Amino acid sequence: DTVSGNHAASLAPLLGYNGHLVCIQDRQESAPLPAFSTAISLHEVALNSIHAHGETLDWQELHGAATRLMQGVANGQLQAPAKQLFAFAELPAALRRLKSGEGTGKWISLLPAPMVVA
């Protein structure tokens, strides 16, 4: 979930047995479902916290995992998502298409060229 902790908790009943609830924008301070029910796993993704709290081993594991993923893409074991390119000026329309479920893949905005002042 990328909305909020409350929103993530509302999704918990939709998960099956041993499902995973991943919170990016917030965290679950308490279990969203009764104990010993569907046994879901709660995960929080603290973006960029590795910079302040990560140790050498954490960085090595992260680097190794990223290397394996990229090697999988390079050798064809993994398929990278299709790219949805759009001009920065089209951002509002692109966001509407994304929200409506139109198109899949990685949405990439092409930024306008920087202005050069002579």
Side-chain angles (χ1 to χ4, degrees):
D1 178 77
T2 61
V3 178
S4 69
N6 288 337
H7 188 262
S10 75
L11 299 175
L14 303 175
L15 296 173
Y17 183 75
N18 275 338
H20 296 264
L21 183 60
V22 181
C23 300
I24 295 175
Q25 295 294 335
D26 207 348
R27 69 184 303 180
Q28 297 296 298
E29 297 294 339
S30 60
L33 297 175
F36 304 106
S37 60
T38 55
I40 64 170
S41 296
L42 301 177
H43 306 275
E44 61 182 44
V45 178
L47 301 176
N48 294 319
S49 66
I50 193 169
H51 296 284
H53 301 284
E55 297 181 3
T56 300
L57 182 58
D58 299 316
W59 280 100
Q60 289 171 342
E61 288 177 0
L62 180 63
H63 185 268
T67 299
R68 289 188 297 279
L69 283 172
M70 296 311 296
Q71 286 172 341
V73 171
N75 66 24
Q77 289 178 310
L78 295 174
Q79 184 176 3
K83 294 177 183 155
Q84 297 284 344
L85 302 174
F86 60 93
F88 185 75
E90 298 169 4
L91 180 60
L95 290 172
R96 283 191 295 275
R97 289 194 315 272
L98 176 63
K99 187 174 182 179
S100 74
E102 180 185 327
T104 59
K106 181 72 174 168
W107 292 70
I108 301 171
S109 171
L110 305 172
L111 297 174
M115 293 180 52
V116 178
V117 178

